[in-house]
């Protein structure tokens, strides 16, 4: 087993391993324990509406009862296609309580993307915001979905009849596109479920809790199988890691975290679960791109923990209202999803007093693998030390471990690592080595103290604002456009998003132009996947066997239309 030389750099009091023997239950056990301890505390705040732990527990039990009453069984997949609204954590709790499997879905997916994920996981039901129902309308007939729960921001909870709710509802209802989809509303489902008694199926630690879709290291989007034990382990790892910093919150104050990242993203999902574990409050940010509204929301709270990424930090600091927020209570700022620019980190420290603790994680590892310690030695640029119970190994192409300072593929092992990809045994076998280490496809180096630095990606994945973009998917979509002979997508540096998609096209029809390609991509790809730069060339650089040499593409100048 890999030597854990990083343990010598752990902050005082941090143990090498988490105790899974005492806390080896399910996420449901974790949620119930939190309700028992913190029932009357606020679990979620949404536009000033406070939702207590007890309310989340009660309403989710009613929804769980409804899901069971319509014939869904333990192990069935239920998709959740919601932004950061209160129905999201309630739906997740309900699905887990019912012994079913949560399938997180990006609400901004196109019909094509949504259809792939729903068919791949075999979901029988979906909880979806009405604003996105028109997307489901266009593909539901080709999926296994036969039950739909429609949520509305104005139909959040029985306890939410307030002026704030009315304002939000009035403002957002105007944005809901027309749709024909039939289903029950969230409130109807809760009311119907309240008439019954929910069954409490036995949920074991190794039962599947979540299918977290990701492109992984190869191919199109696929579901990482995360068990209850995987996710509970990562919650405990994060609690151990950030606990000392949160312990500095003055006695009597409830820990508060902002939730600007989408809850369907594994980083935000785990962060919100950590706060539930410690009795904290999650402040839901509906749309972090609305910087004014985000800062107004933050200014109403004492924020102790702030998870973000480089683009978000920059956008917030560029706004004139940034200093209206009292950042003096901030104990932990975490960053992931994309590299944090050193200049951004310095400016954030100067303006908030909080050092950004950059970390490294992925969906296949339930979120967190390494992180800089918030109360110890932070080394930037870099993604810190492996969290407790985690092994990190750097491998050469032959699978042999490389020495300190040398570059190798990052391989990880720990209780948070997935069991594999849903219905993809062959791909699963390709990403685990003989020792059981998951091969991430990322290239990194580790110094003598165990601090990890990500150098590059082994595969061609493009990272746009913290989201994985996979060139093969873009290429497959663009290749369907008449007039395209062949194409290839690569990443290119971008000051706003870290990377942007650069598409290089060989035309079959000389009449094809940039506007044609962009319009086609808008119809079939989520915004962050759409090419920002489109170039036309006579041919793509290729190897003798016909493989496109993407590393050589930067040498090709575009042909003007």
């Amino acid at each position: 087993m890999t030597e854990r030389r990083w343990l010598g750099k752990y902050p005082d009091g941090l143990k090498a391993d988490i105790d899974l023997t005492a806390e080896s239950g399910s996420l449901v056990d974790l949620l119930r324990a939190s309700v028992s301890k913190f029932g009357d505390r606020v679990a979620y705040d949404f536009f000033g509406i406070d939702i207590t732990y007890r309310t989340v527990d009660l309403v989710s039990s009613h929804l769980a009862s409804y899901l069971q009453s319509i014939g869904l069984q333990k192990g069935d997949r239920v998709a959740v296609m919601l932004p950061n609204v209160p129905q999201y954590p309630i739906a997740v709790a309900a699905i887990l309580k019912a012994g079913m499997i949560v399938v997180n879905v990006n609400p901004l997916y196109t019909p094509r993307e949504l259809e792939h994920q729903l068919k791949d996981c075999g979901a029988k039901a979906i909880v979806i915001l009405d604003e996105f129902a028109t997307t489901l309308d266009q593909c539901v007939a080709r999926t296994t979905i036969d039950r739909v729960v429609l949520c509305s921001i104005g139909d959040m909870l029985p306890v939410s009849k307030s002026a704030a709710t009315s304002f939000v509802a009035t403002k957002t209802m105007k944005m809901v596109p027309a749709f024909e989809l039939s289903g029950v509303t969230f409130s109807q489902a809760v009311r119907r479920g309240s008439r019954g008694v929910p069954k409490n199926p036995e949920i074991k630690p190794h039962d599947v809790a979540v299918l977290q879709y990701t492109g992984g290291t190869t191919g199109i989007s696929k579901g990482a199988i995360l068990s209850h034990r995987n996710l509970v382990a990562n919650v405990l790892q994060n609690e151990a890691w950030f606990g000392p910093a949160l312990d500095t919150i003055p006695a009597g104050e409830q820990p508060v975290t902002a939730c600007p990242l989408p809850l369907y993203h594994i980083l935000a999902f785990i962060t919100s679960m950590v706060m539930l574990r410690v009795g904290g409050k999650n402040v839901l940010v509906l749309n972090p791109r609305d910087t004014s509204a985000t800062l107004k929301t933050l200014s109403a709270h004492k924020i102790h923990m702030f998870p973000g990424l480089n683009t978000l930090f920059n956008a917030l600091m560029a706004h004139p209202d940034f200093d209206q927020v009292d950042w003096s209570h901030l104990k932990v700022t975490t960053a992931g999803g994309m590299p944090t620019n050193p200049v951004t980190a310095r400016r954030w420290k100067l303006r908030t007093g909080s050092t950004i603790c950059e970390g490294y994680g992925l969906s296949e590892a339930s979120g967190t693998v390494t992180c800089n310690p918030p109360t110890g030695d932070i080394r930037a640029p870099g993604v810190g030390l492996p969290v407790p119970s985690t092994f990190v190994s750097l491998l050469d192409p032959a699978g042999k471990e490389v020495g300190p300072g040398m570059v190798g593929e990052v391989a990880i092992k720990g209780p948070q690592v997935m069991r594999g990809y849903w219905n993809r045994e062959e791909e699963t076998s390709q990403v685990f080595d003989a020792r059981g280490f998951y091969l991430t496809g990322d290239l990194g180096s580790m110094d003598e103290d165990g601090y990890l630095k990500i150098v590059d990606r082994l595969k061609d994945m493009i990272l746009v604002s913290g989201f994985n973009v996979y060139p093969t998917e873009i290429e497959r979509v663009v290749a369907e456009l008449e007039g395209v002979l062949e194409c290839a997508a690569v990443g290119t540096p971008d000051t706003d998003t870290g990377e942007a998609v650069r598409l290089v096209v060989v035309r079959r029809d000389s009449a094809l132009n940039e506007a044609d390609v962009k319009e086609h991509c808008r119809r079939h790809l989520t915004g962050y996947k759409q090419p920002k730069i489109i170039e036309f060339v006579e041919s793509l650089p290729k190897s003798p066997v016909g493989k496109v040499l993407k590393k050589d593409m930067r040498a090709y100048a575009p042909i003007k239309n």
Side-chain angles (χ1 to χ4, degrees), residues 381-395:
V383 292
L385 304 167
V387 296
S389 296
T390 302
F391 292 83
V392 175
S393 180
L394 283 297
L395 308 176

Side-chain angles (χ1 to χ4, degrees), residues 167 267 343 364 396 483 488 523 553:
F167 170 76
L267 175 60
V343 174
E364 289 89 343
D396 67 16
R523 289 200 303 269
M553 285 173 54

Side-chain angles (χ1 to χ4, degrees), residues 12-163:
D12 291 342
L14 182 62
K15 295 181 180 180
D17 297 287
I18 55 172
D19 184 5
L20 273 176
T21 57
E23 298 283 358
S24 57
S26 67
L27 282 175
V28 176
D29 295 327
L30 184 151
L31 292 170
R32 286 176 175 153
S34 293
V35 172
S36 177
K37 293 178 186 176
F38 314 115
D40 294 326
R41 287 191 186 182
V42 176
Y44 297 94
D45 174 276
F46 184 69
F47 284 94
I49 300 161
D50 289 339
I51 302 164
T52 67
Y53 280 73
R54 208 175 306 285
T55 298
V56 172
D57 182 51
L58 177 64
V59 180
S60 63
S61 291
H62 291 338
L63 185 57
S65 178
Y66 169 77
L67 294 175
Q68 292 169 336
S69 74
I70 59 177
L72 296 177
Q73 305 293 320
K74 179 181 178 182
D76 283 342
R77 277 76 65 205
V78 180
V80 181
M81 191 171 176
L82 296 172
N84 289 5
V85 293
Q87 293 99 323
Y88 177 90
I90 289 170
V92 167
I95 295 164
L96 295 175
K97 284 181 178 181
M100 298 163 195
I101 300 171
V102 174
V103 181
N104 279 318
V105 180
N106 184 340
L108 300 181
Y109 268 169
T110 65
R112 178 193 185 104
E113 294 163 324
L114 177 59
E115 179 183 342
H116 163 73
Q117 185 166 330
L118 294 179
K119 288 167 71 173
D120 187 76
C121 72
K124 294 183 178 180
I126 187 170
V127 184
I128 185 171
L129 193 70
D130 52 11
E131 187 176 335
F132 309 115
T134 185
T135 303
L136 183 60
D137 251 347
Q138 298 173 60
C139 68
V140 68
R142 297 184 297 276
T143 72
T144 52
I145 295 289
D146 59 15
R147 298 284 184 168
V148 178
V149 177
L150 286 164
C151 301
S152 168
I153 293 179
D155 184 35
M156 295 191 305
L157 290 170
V159 297
S160 300
K161 306 300 183 183
S162 69

